[in-house]
Amino acid sequence: MVKAWMIRAGADGEREDASLSEGLTIAGWPEVGDLTHCSSWDDLRTEIDKAYPRENPRVLSNWQGQLWRFRAVLTPGDIIVLPQKAGSVAIGYLTGDYQYRADSPPGLRHVRTVTWSRTDVPRSEFRADLRATLGSLLTVSELRRLDAASRLAALANGSPDPGNPDAPKHLRLLEGPAALAEKVAEAAKGRPIELAVRDFLSIWDVVSRSSKAIATIRRDLAEFGLSTVPPFTEVPIDHTIRVIPIGQAPEAERQLLGQETGALELETVEPDDPGPELLDVPDEDTAIGAGAAIGAEEGDEDEDGDEQQAPRTVPVVVTVGRLPSARSRLKSVRLSDPLNLAIEIMSEHSFDQLPVLDDDGHLRGSITWREIGATNRPTNALVKDAAVLKVRSVRTDDPLVDCLVNVADHGCVFVVNPDGTLSGIVTGHDLAHRFEQELRPYALLEELERRLRRALILALRRIKETTGEYGLPGDPTKIQKLATKGMNFSDYVQLLKRSDVWEATGWQFPQVRFTERLDRVRTIRNETMHFHEMDDDRASAVEEIRVALQMLKTVQPQA
């Protein structure tokens, strides 16, 4: 089976020209010698350990995996993707096995031959979900999600991206809200448009629910008289939603599947609602400093390679419904069920309590072993004959923080839909896991920046002690800025690329590799103000930050 691989050409695109002009894909790792003789995983690790004796073992394992894929896993006929610094993408087919070119410059020695089909594919030809798969920070990574190989093959042949194969066929290539509105209007009565949130977002050419994206989508939905059930903002990204018309007059029979709109959980937005208020971008002097907010820097690039000029947006409020457990299918009993049924379910699943519903599916309370044991019941007793606790609950559209007190006091809280029907449950574990996911990148980045700032101040002071100046021509105030308020993260990276500054740090890492890593962290840092789903890409990004921080801790134990 043909696979697709993305192989980057270096942090600054230093391998692009050779790759495209000579028909090659090039792995980099200039310190590593010939891998032709490495016929096993252990053989390769020996070469990597020899090349990087002071690197963190986890970093070496990561590099080992990438080089093994390049050396032994890639197969002629596989698709190769090369993202270029200018923004376009090259797509071709692998034609040869691994070669080591000893006479080539360092960094251009580990190669495999490629026939490039197209070398200037604009990223705009990639639909948003496929474009997002190019966000991996690895030099060598497989593009396996969303049928990437077949879609890239179509692009290589000059055909349009056919879209996510898992999306409904008649919705796969919708472009813009007008096309969606047409599909909703054409839908047969009683058969609403259904699609995953991920595919719904792709209609607006976005892959995550940032506040800016939500404001745009809500505005467009209001303009076309549409809404989503449940709200697209309140469910996991792979959850299926329905898109329904709400702008038709009553005589047009707005009933859907036998329900009036009053019973539906809809997106709530007025047609004139401008969405989240926009904030001005702070001055560069306050962009980074101790305790400064983390956001995009001036002049940085977004995922399409364009400079970010738009103002920042207020972060999205995370609702209870975004937790998977809040949308889970809980075991429950009705007031009219036999009490023995509750006993059977609780025994079978080792439950301490069960939610109790009325005949309309609304949450009425819960029943525990204590109530069951205290009931002097006949054999035909019903659940309503036992003492049912009135329990606190939260709605799916409530802010997630509203769960905190209830979970702290009671260990869990039931979740209901706006119409009162049971939706799921939130426990302390669910909250802890979610907040850890949200806060960990910020905590890691804050400590990383603090350590970088301290190390650079010390390095520049050492340079001045030796040369009498800081060596920052054209900007004599920059060192003062660094010492008092902090620089942009990109300034940190550029300083560490200077040989005098690197030497003054006293660090024993390979300079090029470490600055490349920090440049990848810079890219991650500029995306953290936007809300992203916790998928494999974000987990990889968090690990990238963690490794960079651990490397700094190794050489700079004091924060």
Side-chain angles (χ1 to χ4, degrees):
M1 182 179 68
V2 173
K3 296 183 178 181
W5 304 87
M6 180 175 67
I7 302 181
R8 296 189 176 277
D12 297 317
E14 57 269 22
R15 299 190 292 273
E16 279 183 20
D17 289 343
S19 296
L20 298 178
S21 63
E22 300 179 44
L24 299 171
T25 180
I26 308 174
W29 279 279
E31 296 87 354
V32 176
D34 189 359
L35 302 178
T36 304
H37 69 282
C38 294
S39 57
S40 72
W41 179 259
D42 292 338
D43 290 342
L44 178 61
R45 184 54 182 259
T46 299
E47 292 297 324
I48 294 177
D49 287 342
K50 186 190 309 180
Y52 304 105
R54 296 179 181 273
E55 278 288 1
N56 185 295
R58 294 189 64 171
V59 174
L60 294 179
S61 294
N62 183 288
W63 293 352
Q64 180 184 10
Q66 294 185 65
L67 280 171
W68 180 252
R69 289 193 286 271
F70 188 86
R71 160 71 180 83
V73 179
L74 274 71
T75 303
D78 284 350
I79 297 172
I80 304 297
V81 176
L82 170 62
Q84 300 173 62
K85 293 296 288 185
S88 58
V89 177
I91 306 176
Y93 290 87
L94 191 71
T95 57
D97 295 328
Y98 170 82
Q99 302 175 41
Y100 183 75
R101 305 190 306 177
D103 296 334
S104 296
L108 302 179
R109 294 172 179 168
H110 304 285
V111 304
R112 299 187 68 160
T113 56
V114 174
T115 297
W116 296 110
S117 301
R118 297 179 65 188
T119 59
D120 57 352
V121 184
R123 290 189 182 228
S124 58
E125 291 192 17
F126 293 71
R127 293 183 67 81
D129 57 343
L130 183 59
R131 186 168 64 241
T133 66
L134 305 184
S136 173
L137 300 169
L138 301 176
T139 299
V140 181
S141 60
E142 183 180 356
L143 306 176
R144 63 168 65 97
R145 294 189 300 157
L146 304 171
D147 197 27
S150 297
R151 298 169 67 179
L152 289 165
L155 288 168
N157 294 330
S159 301
D161 177 0
N164 179 8
D166 294 329
K169 187 174 182 180
H170 66 296
L171 303 176
R172 192 173 303 167
L173 297 178
L174 288 183
E175 294 185 0
L180 176 62
E182 289 180 6
K183 289 292 184 182
V184 173
E186 295 170 359
K189 183 178 178 181
R191 301 189 64 182
I193 296 297
E194 295 185 343
L195 70 171
V197 174
R198 185 188 305 278
D199 299 315
F200 175 79
L201 296 177
S202 72
I203 295 172
W204 281 264
D205 202 33
V206 297
V207 294
S208 63
R209 291 170 286 196
S210 68
S211 55
K212 182 178 179 181
I214 288 175
T216 299
I217 294 172
R218 281 177 167 169
R219 183 188 64 235
D220 290 342
L221 289 176
E223 178 181 348
F224 288 98
L226 303 174
S227 188
T228 64
V229 182
F232 77 93
T233 55
E234 296 170 15
V235 292
I237 198 164
D238 291 317
H239 193 93
T240 297
I241 58 175
R242 290 179 284 156
V243 184
I244 67 167
I246 60 171
Q248 297 173 329
E251 58 267 27
E253 297 183 356
R254 288 191 305 178
Q255 289 181 327
L256 182 70
L257 298 179
Q259 295 177 304
E260 298 286 354
T261 53
L264 299 178
E265 183 184 356
L266 303 173
E267 272 293 321
T268 54
V269 59
E270 297 298 327
D272 296 326
D273 183 0
E277 185 177 343
L278 299 183
L279 301 179
D280 292 333
V281 178
D283 294 334
E284 183 183 73
D285 282 352
T286 59
I288 279 192
I294 296 173
E297 299 176 6
E298 182 179 355
D300 285 329
E301 294 182 347
D302 62 15
E303 66 175 5
D304 297 323
D306 299 320
E307 287 195 355
Q308 297 177 340
Q309 300 295 340
R312 296 181 191 178
T313 53
V314 177
V316 176
V317 174
V318 180
T319 58
V320 174
R322 294 287 277 273
L323 292 177
S325 64
R327 297 279 183 177
S328 59
R329 295 183 177 180
L330 296 182
K331 296 284 186 181
S332 63
V333 290
R334 304 278 176 135
L335 288 167
S336 56
D337 285 336
L339 188 57
N340 287 336
L341 177 62
I343 296 173
E344 178 185 350
I345 293 174
M346 293 174 68
S347 300
E348 180 181 354
H349 298 281
S350 299
F351 291 159
D352 293 323
Q353 66 175 329
L354 272 180
V356 177
L357 314 180
D358 61 21
D359 290 338
D360 294 324
H362 296 102
L363 179 67
R364 292 290 300 271
S366 70
I367 187 169
T368 71
W369 286 115
R370 179 178 178 181
E371 283 71 52
I372 292 173
T375 303
N376 184 10
R377 62 186 186 279
T379 56
N380 61 347
L382 303 179
V383 170
K384 65 182 179 182
D385 296 326
V388 176
L389 294 177
K390 295 297 183 182
V391 294
R392 292 185 177 273
S393 62
V394 294
R395 290 179 19 150
T396 54
D397 54 357
D398 285 337
L400 186 58
V401 294
D402 288 359
C403 291
L404 294 178
V405 173
N406 285 325
V407 173
D409 291 343
H410 305 290
C412 66
V413 62
F414 289 112
V415 182
V416 297
N417 296 306
D419 64 358
T421 55
L422 182 65
S423 178
I425 190 171
V426 174
T427 67
H429 172 78
D430 298 322
L431 286 178
H433 184 58
R434 178 66 190 207
F435 283 113
E436 191 276 337
Q437 289 177 330
E438 289 300 310
L439 297 177
R440 191 167 188 231
Y442 294 94
L444 292 174
L445 283 167
E446 182 177 3
E447 183 176 357
L448 176 64
E449 292 189 29
R450 183 174 69 248
R451 288 177 179 272
L452 279 175
R453 180 169 171 265
R454 181 175 181 274
L456 285 170
I457 289 174
L458 293 174
L460 290 170
R461 285 175 179 168
R462 293 185 188 118
I463 292 174
K464 187 176 182 182
E465 290 174 0
T466 303
T467 65
E469 58 183 14
Y470 292 112
L472 296 169
D475 191 357
T477 64
K478 184 158 282 192
I479 182 60
Q480 181 180 359
K481 176 181 168 185
L482 173 63
T484 58
K485 298 179 181 178
M487 294 180 177
N488 286 333
F489 201 96
S490 56
D491 292 329
Y492 296 157
V493 179
Q494 292 304 315
L495 279 175
L496 288 172
K497 288 182 178 180
R498 283 176 33 184
S499 58
D500 58 340
V501 174
W502 183 262
E503 184 178 351
T505 65
W507 298 342
Q508 298 302 308
F509 307 128
Q511 180 184 11
V512 173
R513 300 295 301 178
F514 188 71
T515 54
E516 285 179 352
R517 178 179 298 280
L518 285 185
D519 203 45
R520 295 195 296 271
V521 171
R522 177 191 62 82
T523 301
I524 297 168
R525 178 192 175 282
N526 293 336
E527 296 174 348
T528 55
M529 278 299 288
H530 301 291
F531 184 84
H532 290 273
E533 306 301 325
M534 282 307 302
D535 55 15
D536 292 341
D537 290 337
R538 186 173 181 185
S540 173
V542 172
E543 178 65 8
E544 186 84 32
I545 303 170
R546 191 203 64 78
V547 170
L549 176 58
Q550 184 58 46
M551 293 174 73
L552 276 184
K553 287 181 176 179
T554 302
V555 294
Q556 184 185 330
Q558 294 183 340

